[in-house]
Amino acid sequence: MKEDRKVSVFIAPTLDGYIAGKDDSLDWLFKVEGEGDNGYSEFYDTVDTILMGKRTFDWIVNQGEAFPYKGKACYVFTRSETASHEDVTFVNGSPGELIQKLKKEDGQKIWVVGGGELLQALLSERLVDELFITIAPVLLGEGIPLFKGGGPPQELLFKGSRSFNQFVELHYEVKSSLGR
């Protein structure tokens, strides 16, 4: 495996652990006062490959703006047939198979954009190397959880934290991935 090709999660949940409201809304996220882009550009510059689930892809496309990940290799995991899209490759297979293939190639970080089901599958297969969790000071009470539970226990190594006004970013490395 290429040492520098980490599978990274960079995501902003609420303090009570939700990545979206029950209606897929992110309105709560944009109400929080951050600082600049809250470290997004810095992280994005370290990435050349994007992974996401179909629900996340559909949400992005339905925003009506230009596709935000042009110029990056973008893979969308889906269980159904879908129309082609010039900026993504749709994948029906196992996330693990694709990640093993990608990690053998030269490149930068592999970013798991979302959503919760894909993240759960990757965690269950122990394929996540690091997490950047940027906590928003919001309690939603319900919605789409960041971690769905049911996967194997995993120990994390705290790498650092920083704040962006009201947001707090926590950086962890997954111990089981150390030395892979």
Side-chain angles (χ1 to χ4, degrees):
M1 301 283 163
K2 302 283 184 189
E3 191 69 30
D4 54 341
R5 291 233 62 191
K6 290 184 178 180
V7 174
S8 303
V9 174
F10 182 91
I11 199 162
T14 61
L15 183 59
D16 57 352
Y18 296 101
I19 55 174
K22 64 180 180 175
D23 58 355
D24 291 344
S25 172
L26 295 179
D27 292 346
W28 57 270
L29 182 63
F30 303 111
K31 292 178 182 175
V32 178
E33 192 172 326
E35 184 178 306
D37 67 1
N38 304 314
Y40 175 81
S41 295
E42 179 185 344
F43 177 80
Y44 191 73
D45 288 345
T46 68
V47 170
D48 68 357
T49 305
I50 309 281
L51 305 179
M52 71 179 80
K54 178 75 164 53
R55 188 171 173 182
T56 300
F57 172 76
D58 288 343
W59 186 90
I60 291 168
V61 170
N62 288 333
Q63 296 309 299
E65 299 174 12
F67 190 71
Y69 309 120
K70 285 185 180 290
K72 308 272 185 189
C74 186
Y75 298 90
V76 176
F77 289 90
T78 180
R79 293 182 195 99
S80 59
E81 289 296 317
T82 186
S84 64
H85 190 280
E86 66 182 345
D87 297 308
V88 305
T89 300
F90 291 99
V91 181
N92 292 78
S94 158
E97 290 174 16
L98 177 62
I99 287 174
Q100 296 305 322
K101 176 184 166 280
L102 293 171
K103 282 192 151 206
K104 291 176 184 172
E105 300 171 357
D106 287 327
Q108 294 178 287
K109 287 183 182 178
I110 301 164
W111 177 22
V112 181
V113 171
E117 285 186 37
L118 177 59
L119 178 56
Q120 181 62 34
L122 296 175
L123 287 169
S124 292
E125 292 185 47
R126 299 186 182 275
L127 295 171
V128 174
D129 297 306
E130 66 181 349
L131 300 118
F132 293 87
I133 309 293
T134 304
I135 306 294
V138 174
L139 299 172
L140 278 184
E142 62 182 345
I144 299 169
L146 173 59
F147 301 111
K148 296 196 182 279
Q154 295 185 47
E155 292 184 46
L156 307 175
L157 178 64
F158 179 68
K159 300 298 284 184
S161 65
R162 54 190 182 162
S163 63
F164 300 99
N165 198 343
Q166 294 297 304
F167 288 98
V168 175
E169 178 188 270
L170 303 171
H171 179 198
Y172 294 98
E173 191 165 312
V174 179
K175 279 189 174 183
S176 63
S177 73
L178 298 175
R180 265 202 259 175

PDB file of all heavy atoms in Angstrom, residues 75-108:
ATOM      1  N   TYR A  75     -16.006   8.932  -7.040  1.00  0.00           N
ATOM      2  CA  TYR A  75     -16.712   7.659  -7.124  1.00  0.00           C
ATOM      3  C   TYR A  75     -17.968   7.733  -6.260  1.00  0.00           C
ATOM      4  O   TYR A  75     -17.906   8.136  -5.092  1.00  0.00           O
ATOM      5  CB  TYR A  75     -15.824   6.513  -6.635  1.00  0.00           C
ATOM      6  CG  TYR A  75     -14.590   6.336  -7.475  1.00  0.00           C
ATOM      7  CD1 TYR A  75     -13.406   7.007  -7.171  1.00  0.00           C
ATOM      8  CD2 TYR A  75     -14.605   5.499  -8.587  1.00  0.00           C
ATOM      9  CE1 TYR A  75     -12.271   6.844  -7.949  1.00  0.00           C
ATOM     10  CE2 TYR A  75     -13.475   5.330  -9.374  1.00  0.00           C
ATOM     11  CZ  TYR A  75     -12.316   6.011  -9.049  1.00  0.00           C
ATOM     12  OH  TYR A  75     -11.188   5.859  -9.820  1.00  0.00           O
ATOM     13  N   VAL A  76     -19.101   7.325  -6.841  1.00  0.00           N
ATOM     14  CA  VAL A  76     -20.382   7.327  -6.138  1.00  0.00           C
ATOM     15  C   VAL A  76     -20.847   5.882  -6.005  1.00  0.00           C
ATOM     16  O   VAL A  76     -21.028   5.192  -7.013  1.00  0.00           O
ATOM     17  CB  VAL A  76     -21.437   8.162  -6.885  1.00  0.00           C
ATOM     18  CG1 VAL A  76     -22.790   8.073  -6.196  1.00  0.00           C
ATOM     19  CG2 VAL A  76     -20.986   9.621  -7.005  1.00  0.00           C
ATOM     20  N   PHE A  77     -21.051   5.439  -4.768  1.00  0.00           N
ATOM     21  CA  PHE A  77     -21.513   4.076  -4.516  1.00  0.00           C
ATOM     22  C   PHE A  77     -23.030   4.044  -4.587  1.00  0.00           C
ATOM     23  O   PHE A  77     -23.710   4.860  -3.965  1.00  0.00           O
ATOM     24  CB  PHE A  77     -21.027   3.587  -3.147  1.00  0.00           C
ATOM     25  CG  PHE A  77     -19.556   3.340  -3.135  1.00  0.00           C
ATOM     26  CD1 PHE A  77     -18.676   4.356  -2.795  1.00  0.00           C
ATOM     27  CD2 PHE A  77     -19.044   2.109  -3.504  1.00  0.00           C
ATOM     28  CE1 PHE A  77     -17.308   4.143  -2.809  1.00  0.00           C
ATOM     29  CE2 PHE A  77     -17.684   1.884  -3.521  1.00  0.00           C
ATOM     30  CZ  PHE A  77     -16.812   2.900  -3.176  1.00  0.00           C
ATOM     31  N   THR A  78     -23.552   3.113  -5.370  1.00  0.00           N
ATOM     32  CA  THR A  78     -24.992   2.998  -5.555  1.00  0.00           C
ATOM     33  C   THR A  78     -25.372   1.533  -5.726  1.00  0.00           C
ATOM     34  O   THR A  78     -24.571   0.735  -6.206  1.00  0.00           O
ATOM     35  CB  THR A  78     -25.464   3.825  -6.777  1.00  0.00           C
ATOM     36  OG1 THR A  78     -26.876   3.693  -6.912  1.00  0.00           O
ATOM     37  CG2 THR A  78     -24.777   3.395  -8.054  1.00  0.00           C
ATOM     38  N   ARG A  79     -26.600   1.231  -5.330  1.00  0.00           N
ATOM     39  CA  ARG A  79     -27.125  -0.126  -5.524  1.00  0.00           C
ATOM     40  C   ARG A  79     -28.040  -0.182  -6.732  1.00  0.00           C
ATOM     41  O   ARG A  79     -28.555  -1.226  -7.073  1.00  0.00           O
ATOM     42  CB  ARG A  79     -27.902  -0.564  -4.281  1.00  0.00           C
ATOM     43  CG  ARG A  79     -27.035  -0.751  -3.066  1.00  0.00           C
ATOM     44  CD  ARG A  79     -27.878  -1.228  -1.886  1.00  0.00           C
ATOM     45  NE  ARG A  79     -27.151  -1.074  -0.654  1.00  0.00           N
ATOM     46  CZ  ARG A  79     -27.307  -0.068   0.196  1.00  0.00           C
ATOM     47  NH1 ARG A  79     -28.183   0.870  -0.037  1.00  0.00           N
ATOM     48  NH2 ARG A  79     -26.581  -0.006   1.285  1.00  0.00           N
ATOM     49  N   SER A  80     -28.290   0.960  -7.359  1.00  0.00           N
ATOM     50  CA  SER A  80     -29.243   1.006  -8.465  1.00  0.00           C
ATOM     51  C   SER A  80     -28.576   1.531  -9.729  1.00  0.00           C
ATOM     52  O   SER A  80     -27.510   2.136  -9.680  1.00  0.00           O
ATOM     53  CB  SER A  80     -30.428   1.908  -8.097  1.00  0.00           C
ATOM     54  OG  SER A  80     -29.968   3.214  -7.815  1.00  0.00           O
ATOM     55  N   GLU A  81     -29.242   1.315 -10.844  1.00  0.00           N
ATOM     56  CA  GLU A  81     -28.781   1.883 -12.107  1.00  0.00           C
ATOM     57  C   GLU A  81     -28.976   3.397 -12.033  1.00  0.00           C
ATOM     58  O   GLU A  81     -29.914   3.876 -11.420  1.00  0.00           O
ATOM     59  CB  GLU A  81     -29.589   1.319 -13.275  1.00  0.00           C
ATOM     60  CG  GLU A  81     -29.280  -0.135 -13.577  1.00  0.00           C
ATOM     61  CD  GLU A  81     -27.845  -0.344 -14.030  1.00  0.00           C
ATOM     62  OE1 GLU A  81     -27.329   0.449 -14.842  1.00  0.00           O
ATOM     63  OE2 GLU A  81     -27.222  -1.319 -13.559  1.00  0.00           O
ATOM     64  N   THR A  82     -28.105   4.122 -12.677  1.00  0.00           N
ATOM     65  CA  THR A  82     -28.218   5.575 -12.636  1.00  0.00           C
ATOM     66  C   THR A  82     -27.740   6.154 -13.950  1.00  0.00           C
ATOM     67  O   THR A  82     -26.921   5.549 -14.645  1.00  0.00           O
ATOM     68  CB  THR A  82     -27.441   6.144 -11.437  1.00  0.00           C
ATOM     69  OG1 THR A  82     -27.675   7.533 -11.343  1.00  0.00           O
ATOM     70  CG2 THR A  82     -25.970   5.882 -11.555  1.00  0.00           C
ATOM     71  N   ALA A  83     -28.259   7.315 -14.273  1.00  0.00           N
ATOM     72  CA  ALA A  83     -27.819   8.004 -15.488  1.00  0.00           C
ATOM     73  C   ALA A  83     -26.349   8.382 -15.326  1.00  0.00           C
ATOM     74  O   ALA A  83     -25.872   8.610 -14.220  1.00  0.00           O
ATOM     75  CB  ALA A  83     -28.676   9.247 -15.712  1.00  0.00           C
ATOM     76  N   SER A  84     -25.650   8.461 -16.438  1.00  0.00           N
ATOM     77  CA  SER A  84     -24.237   8.822 -16.354  1.00  0.00           C
ATOM     78  C   SER A  84     -24.102  10.298 -15.964  1.00  0.00           C
ATOM     79  O   SER A  84     -25.016  11.088 -16.127  1.00  0.00           O
ATOM     80  CB  SER A  84     -23.548   8.557 -17.687  1.00  0.00           C
ATOM     81  OG  SER A  84     -24.095   9.384 -18.688  1.00  0.00           O
ATOM     82  N   HIS A  85     -22.958  10.616 -15.435  1.00  0.00           N
ATOM     83  CA  HIS A  85     -22.648  11.985 -15.027  1.00  0.00           C
ATOM     84  C   HIS A  85     -21.180  12.208 -15.373  1.00  0.00           C
ATOM     85  O   HIS A  85     -20.336  11.393 -15.012  1.00  0.00           O
ATOM     86  CB  HIS A  85     -22.899  12.166 -13.530  1.00  0.00           C
ATOM     87  CG  HIS A  85     -22.828  13.581 -13.065  1.00  0.00           C
ATOM     88  ND1 HIS A  85     -21.641  14.210 -12.821  1.00  0.00           N
ATOM     89  CD2 HIS A  85     -23.807  14.482 -12.816  1.00  0.00           C
ATOM     90  CE1 HIS A  85     -21.884  15.450 -12.414  1.00  0.00           C
ATOM     91  NE2 HIS A  85     -23.198  15.638 -12.406  1.00  0.00           N
ATOM     92  N   GLU A  86     -20.885  13.296 -16.049  1.00  0.00           N
ATOM     93  CA  GLU A  86     -19.530  13.512 -16.555  1.00  0.00           C
ATOM     94  C   GLU A  86     -18.460  13.624 -15.474  1.00  0.00           C
ATOM     95  O   GLU A  86     -17.289  13.390 -15.743  1.00  0.00           O
ATOM     96  CB  GLU A  86     -19.493  14.759 -17.445  1.00  0.00           C
ATOM     97  CG  GLU A  86     -19.755  16.061 -16.700  1.00  0.00           C
ATOM     98  CD  GLU A  86     -19.756  17.276 -17.609  1.00  0.00           C
ATOM     99  OE1 GLU A  86     -19.273  17.163 -18.747  1.00  0.00           O
ATOM    100  OE2 GLU A  86     -20.229  18.331 -17.173  1.00  0.00           O
ATOM    101  N   ASP A  87     -18.855  13.949 -14.258  1.00  0.00           N
ATOM    102  CA  ASP A  87     -17.863  14.194 -13.213  1.00  0.00           C
ATOM    103  C   ASP A  87     -17.670  13.039 -12.235  1.00  0.00           C
ATOM    104  O   ASP A  87     -16.867  13.155 -11.320  1.00  0.00           O
ATOM    105  CB  ASP A  87     -18.248  15.453 -12.428  1.00  0.00           C
ATOM    106  CG  ASP A  87     -18.231  16.692 -13.309  1.00  0.00           C
ATOM    107  OD1 ASP A  87     -17.211  16.924 -13.987  1.00  0.00           O
ATOM    108  OD2 ASP A  87     -19.248  17.419 -13.332  1.00  0.00           O
ATOM    109  N   VAL A  88     -18.444  11.949 -12.394  1.00  0.00           N
ATOM    110  CA  VAL A  88     -18.332  10.852 -11.436  1.00  0.00           C
ATOM    111  C   VAL A  88     -18.320   9.497 -12.134  1.00  0.00           C
ATOM    112  O   VAL A  88     -18.757   9.364 -13.270  1.00  0.00           O
ATOM    113  CB  VAL A  88     -19.487  10.864 -10.399  1.00  0.00           C
ATOM    114  CG1 VAL A  88     -19.580  12.190  -9.680  1.00  0.00           C
ATOM    115  CG2 VAL A  88     -20.805  10.495 -11.019  1.00  0.00           C
ATOM    116  N   THR A  89     -17.815   8.519 -11.399  1.00  0.00           N
ATOM    117  CA  THR A  89     -17.900   7.126 -11.800  1.00  0.00           C
ATOM    118  C   THR A  89     -18.793   6.443 -10.777  1.00  0.00           C
ATOM    119  O   THR A  89     -18.533   6.520  -9.566  1.00  0.00           O
ATOM    120  CB  THR A  89     -16.506   6.462 -11.788  1.00  0.00           C
ATOM    121  OG1 THR A  89     -15.656   7.163 -12.701  1.00  0.00           O
ATOM    122  CG2 THR A  89     -16.588   4.996 -12.175  1.00  0.00           C
ATOM    123  N   PHE A  90     -19.862   5.801 -11.244  1.00  0.00           N
ATOM    124  CA  PHE A  90     -20.754   5.089 -10.340  1.00  0.00           C
ATOM    125  C   PHE A  90     -20.211   3.686 -10.101  1.00  0.00           C
ATOM    126  O   PHE A  90     -19.741   3.025 -11.025  1.00  0.00           O
ATOM    127  CB  PHE A  90     -22.170   5.030 -10.926  1.00  0.00           C
ATOM    128  CG  PHE A  90     -22.829   6.379 -10.949  1.00  0.00           C
ATOM    129  CD1 PHE A  90     -22.854   7.144 -12.109  1.00  0.00           C
ATOM    130  CD2 PHE A  90     -23.403   6.908  -9.803  1.00  0.00           C
ATOM    131  CE1 PHE A  90     -23.446   8.391 -12.139  1.00  0.00           C
ATOM    132  CE2 PHE A  90     -24.000   8.166  -9.810  1.00  0.00           C
ATOM    133  CZ  PHE A  90     -24.024   8.907 -10.983  1.00  0.00           C
ATOM    134  N   VAL A  91     -20.254   3.255  -8.848  1.00  0.00           N
ATOM    135  CA  VAL A  91     -19.689   1.978  -8.441  1.00  0.00           C
ATOM    136  C   VAL A  91     -20.776   1.160  -7.746  1.00  0.00           C
ATOM    137  O   VAL A  91     -21.456   1.670  -6.855  1.00  0.00           O
ATOM    138  CB  VAL A  91     -18.503   2.190  -7.467  1.00  0.00           C
ATOM    139  CG1 VAL A  91     -17.895   0.871  -7.047  1.00  0.00           C
ATOM    140  CG2 VAL A  91     -17.466   3.118  -8.063  1.00  0.00           C
ATOM    141  N   ASN A  92     -20.931  -0.086  -8.162  1.00  0.00           N
ATOM    142  CA  ASN A  92     -21.910  -0.974  -7.533  1.00  0.00           C
ATOM    143  C   ASN A  92     -21.250  -1.995  -6.614  1.00  0.00           C
ATOM    144  O   ASN A  92     -21.930  -2.674  -5.870  1.00  0.00           O
ATOM    145  CB  ASN A  92     -22.724  -1.736  -8.600  1.00  0.00           C
ATOM    146  CG  ASN A  92     -23.627  -0.824  -9.376  1.00  0.00           C
ATOM    147  OD1 ASN A  92     -23.176  -0.127 -10.268  1.00  0.00           O
ATOM    148  ND2 ASN A  92     -24.903  -0.820  -9.049  1.00  0.00           N
ATOM    149  N   GLY A  93     -19.945  -2.094  -6.659  1.00  0.00           N
ATOM    150  CA  GLY A  93     -19.249  -3.131  -5.901  1.00  0.00           C
ATOM    151  C   GLY A  93     -18.946  -2.720  -4.474  1.00  0.00           C
ATOM    152  O   GLY A  93     -19.432  -1.732  -3.949  1.00  0.00           O
ATOM    153  N   SER A  94     -18.092  -3.505  -3.867  1.00  0.00           N
ATOM    154  CA  SER A  94     -17.680  -3.301  -2.484  1.00  0.00           C
ATOM    155  C   SER A  94     -16.767  -2.078  -2.361  1.00  0.00           C
ATOM    156  O   SER A  94     -15.819  -1.938  -3.144  1.00  0.00           O
ATOM    157  CB  SER A  94     -16.931  -4.545  -2.000  1.00  0.00           C
ATOM    158  OG  SER A  94     -16.114  -4.246  -0.913  1.00  0.00           O
ATOM    159  N   PRO A  95     -17.026  -1.224  -1.373  1.00  0.00           N
ATOM    160  CA  PRO A  95     -16.105  -0.098  -1.147  1.00  0.00           C
ATOM    161  C   PRO A  95     -14.681  -0.584  -0.876  1.00  0.00           C
ATOM    162  O   PRO A  95     -13.724   0.038  -1.305  1.00  0.00           O
ATOM    163  CB  PRO A  95     -16.686   0.606   0.079  1.00  0.00           C
ATOM    164  CG  PRO A  95     -18.119   0.221   0.105  1.00  0.00           C
ATOM    165  CD  PRO A  95     -18.175  -1.166  -0.469  1.00  0.00           C
ATOM    166  N   GLY A  96     -14.559  -1.728  -0.205  1.00  0.00           N
ATOM    167  CA  GLY A  96     -13.238  -2.255   0.125  1.00  0.00           C
ATOM    168  C   GLY A  96     -12.412  -2.584  -1.098  1.00  0.00           C
ATOM    169  O   GLY A  96     -11.210  -2.318  -1.142  1.00  0.00           O
ATOM    170  N   GLU A  97     -13.038  -3.162  -2.108  1.00  0.00           N
ATOM    171  CA  GLU A  97     -12.316  -3.500  -3.333  1.00  0.00           C
ATOM    172  C   GLU A  97     -11.773  -2.246  -4.011  1.00  0.00           C
ATOM    173  O   GLU A  97     -10.622  -2.217  -4.451  1.00  0.00           O
ATOM    174  CB  GLU A  97     -13.232  -4.260  -4.292  1.00  0.00           C
ATOM    175  CG  GLU A  97     -13.585  -5.651  -3.836  1.00  0.00           C
ATOM    176  CD  GLU A  97     -14.605  -6.325  -4.748  1.00  0.00           C
ATOM    177  OE1 GLU A  97     -14.824  -5.854  -5.883  1.00  0.00           O
ATOM    178  OE2 GLU A  97     -15.191  -7.333  -4.301  1.00  0.00           O
ATOM    179  N   LEU A  98     -12.604  -1.222  -4.103  1.00  0.00           N
ATOM    180  CA  LEU A  98     -12.160   0.021  -4.742  1.00  0.00           C
ATOM    181  C   LEU A  98     -11.035   0.671  -3.938  1.00  0.00           C
ATOM    182  O   LEU A  98     -10.034   1.100  -4.502  1.00  0.00           O
ATOM    183  CB  LEU A  98     -13.319   0.997  -4.916  1.00  0.00           C
ATOM    184  CG  LEU A  98     -12.923   2.352  -5.513  1.00  0.00           C
ATOM    185  CD1 LEU A  98     -12.354   2.193  -6.928  1.00  0.00           C
ATOM    186  CD2 LEU A  98     -14.110   3.305  -5.516  1.00  0.00           C
ATOM    187  N   ILE A  99     -11.179   0.712  -2.635  1.00  0.00           N
ATOM    188  CA  ILE A  99     -10.153   1.349  -1.803  1.00  0.00           C
ATOM    189  C   ILE A  99      -8.823   0.601  -1.903  1.00  0.00           C
ATOM    190  O   ILE A  99      -7.766   1.227  -2.013  1.00  0.00           O
ATOM    191  CB  ILE A  99     -10.629   1.480  -0.346  1.00  0.00           C
ATOM    192  CG1 ILE A  99     -11.689   2.585  -0.295  1.00  0.00           C
ATOM    193  CG2 ILE A  99      -9.470   1.781   0.595  1.00  0.00           C
ATOM    194  CD1 ILE A  99     -12.359   2.753   1.031  1.00  0.00           C
ATOM    195  N   GLN A 100      -8.862  -0.710  -1.895  1.00  0.00           N
ATOM    196  CA  GLN A 100      -7.617  -1.466  -2.038  1.00  0.00           C
ATOM    197  C   GLN A 100      -6.930  -1.133  -3.358  1.00  0.00           C
ATOM    198  O   GLN A 100      -5.709  -0.975  -3.426  1.00  0.00           O
ATOM    199  CB  GLN A 100      -7.876  -2.975  -1.921  1.00  0.00           C
ATOM    200  CG  GLN A 100      -8.396  -3.403  -0.554  1.00  0.00           C
ATOM    201  CD  GLN A 100      -7.506  -2.980   0.600  1.00  0.00           C
ATOM    202  OE1 GLN A 100      -6.286  -2.991   0.508  1.00  0.00           O
ATOM    203  NE2 GLN A 100      -8.117  -2.594   1.707  1.00  0.00           N
ATOM    204  N   LYS A 101      -7.722  -1.005  -4.422  1.00  0.00           N
ATOM    205  CA  LYS A 101      -7.186  -0.641  -5.737  1.00  0.00           C
ATOM    206  C   LYS A 101      -6.593   0.771  -5.700  1.00  0.00           C
ATOM    207  O   LYS A 101      -5.472   1.000  -6.159  1.00  0.00           O
ATOM    208  CB  LYS A 101      -8.299  -0.719  -6.786  1.00  0.00           C
ATOM    209  CG  LYS A 101      -7.893  -0.269  -8.172  1.00  0.00           C
ATOM    210  CD  LYS A 101      -9.108  -0.303  -9.117  1.00  0.00           C
ATOM    211  CE  LYS A 101      -8.879   0.430 -10.384  1.00  0.00           C
ATOM    212  NZ  LYS A 101      -9.014   1.870 -10.322  1.00  0.00           N
ATOM    213  N   LEU A 102      -7.343   1.722  -5.146  1.00  0.00           N
ATOM    214  CA  LEU A 102      -6.888   3.115  -5.106  1.00  0.00           C
ATOM    215  C   LEU A 102      -5.624   3.279  -4.271  1.00  0.00           C
ATOM    216  O   LEU A 102      -4.745   4.062  -4.617  1.00  0.00           O
ATOM    217  CB  LEU A 102      -7.990   4.028  -4.559  1.00  0.00           C
ATOM    218  CG  LEU A 102      -9.230   4.189  -5.430  1.00  0.00           C
ATOM    219  CD1 LEU A 102     -10.318   4.937  -4.668  1.00  0.00           C
ATOM    220  CD2 LEU A 102      -8.886   4.898  -6.733  1.00  0.00           C
ATOM    221  N   LYS A 103      -5.523   2.547  -3.172  1.00  0.00           N
ATOM    222  CA  LYS A 103      -4.356   2.680  -2.294  1.00  0.00           C
ATOM    223  C   LYS A 103      -3.076   2.149  -2.941  1.00  0.00           C
ATOM    224  O   LYS A 103      -1.988   2.494  -2.509  1.00  0.00           O
ATOM    225  CB  LYS A 103      -4.616   2.001  -0.954  1.00  0.00           C
ATOM    226  CG  LYS A 103      -5.485   2.828  -0.049  1.00  0.00           C
ATOM    227  CD  LYS A 103      -5.463   2.267   1.338  1.00  0.00           C
ATOM    228  CE  LYS A 103      -5.684   3.368   2.329  1.00  0.00           C
ATOM    229  NZ  LYS A 103      -5.119   3.100   3.617  1.00  0.00           N
ATOM    230  N   LYS A 104      -3.212   1.336  -3.974  1.00  0.00           N
ATOM    231  CA  LYS A 104      -2.031   0.829  -4.687  1.00  0.00           C
ATOM    232  C   LYS A 104      -1.525   1.833  -5.714  1.00  0.00           C
ATOM    233  O   LYS A 104      -0.441   1.679  -6.249  1.00  0.00           O
ATOM    234  CB  LYS A 104      -2.357  -0.502  -5.360  1.00  0.00           C
ATOM    235  CG  LYS A 104      -2.566  -1.621  -4.376  1.00  0.00           C
ATOM    236  CD  LYS A 104      -2.977  -2.902  -5.062  1.00  0.00           C
ATOM    237  CE  LYS A 104      -3.262  -3.975  -4.022  1.00  0.00           C
ATOM    238  NZ  LYS A 104      -3.847  -5.171  -4.623  1.00  0.00           N
ATOM    239  N   GLU A 105      -2.325   2.857  -5.978  1.00  0.00           N
ATOM    240  CA  GLU A 105      -1.952   3.876  -6.958  1.00  0.00           C
ATOM    241  C   GLU A 105      -1.292   5.060  -6.257  1.00  0.00           C
ATOM    242  O   GLU A 105      -1.545   5.311  -5.079  1.00  0.00           O
ATOM    243  CB  GLU A 105      -3.208   4.365  -7.698  1.00  0.00           C
ATOM    244  CG  GLU A 105      -3.945   3.280  -8.452  1.00  0.00           C
ATOM    245  CD  GLU A 105      -5.289   3.741  -8.990  1.00  0.00           C
ATOM    246  OE1 GLU A 105      -5.700   4.897  -8.748  1.00  0.00           O
ATOM    247  OE2 GLU A 105      -5.942   2.920  -9.663  1.00  0.00           O
ATOM    248  N   ASP A 106      -0.465   5.776  -6.991  1.00  0.00           N
ATOM    249  CA  ASP A 106       0.083   7.018  -6.455  1.00  0.00           C
ATOM    250  C   ASP A 106      -1.041   8.040  -6.365  1.00  0.00           C
ATOM    251  O   ASP A 106      -1.965   8.047  -7.184  1.00  0.00           O
ATOM    252  CB  ASP A 106       1.187   7.565  -7.374  1.00  0.00           C
ATOM    253  CG  ASP A 106       2.462   6.753  -7.280  1.00  0.00           C
ATOM    254  OD1 ASP A 106       2.751   6.232  -6.190  1.00  0.00           O
ATOM    255  OD2 ASP A 106       3.166   6.639  -8.302  1.00  0.00           O
ATOM    256  N   GLY A 107      -0.955   8.901  -5.384  1.00  0.00           N
ATOM    257  CA  GLY A 107      -1.966   9.937  -5.262  1.00  0.00           C
ATOM    258  C   GLY A 107      -1.996  10.536  -3.878  1.00  0.00           C
ATOM    259  O   GLY A 107      -1.167  10.236  -3.023  1.00  0.00           O
ATOM    260  N   GLN A 108      -2.977  11.385  -3.698  1.00  0.00           N
ATOM    261  CA  GLN A 108      -3.162  12.080  -2.430  1.00  0.00           C
ATOM    262  C   GLN A 108      -4.224  11.354  -1.606  1.00  0.00           C
ATOM    263  O   GLN A 108      -4.532  10.196  -1.860  1.00  0.00           O
ATOM    264  CB  GLN A 108      -3.567  13.528  -2.700  1.00  0.00           C
ATOM    265  CG  GLN A 108      -2.480  14.340  -3.382  1.00  0.00           C
ATOM    266  CD  GLN A 108      -2.964  15.751  -3.665  1.00  0.00           C
ATOM    267  OE1 GLN A 108      -3.772  15.976  -4.558  1.00  0.00           O
ATOM    268  NE2 GLN A 108      -2.479  16.709  -2.878  1.00  0.00           N
TER     269      GLN A 108
END
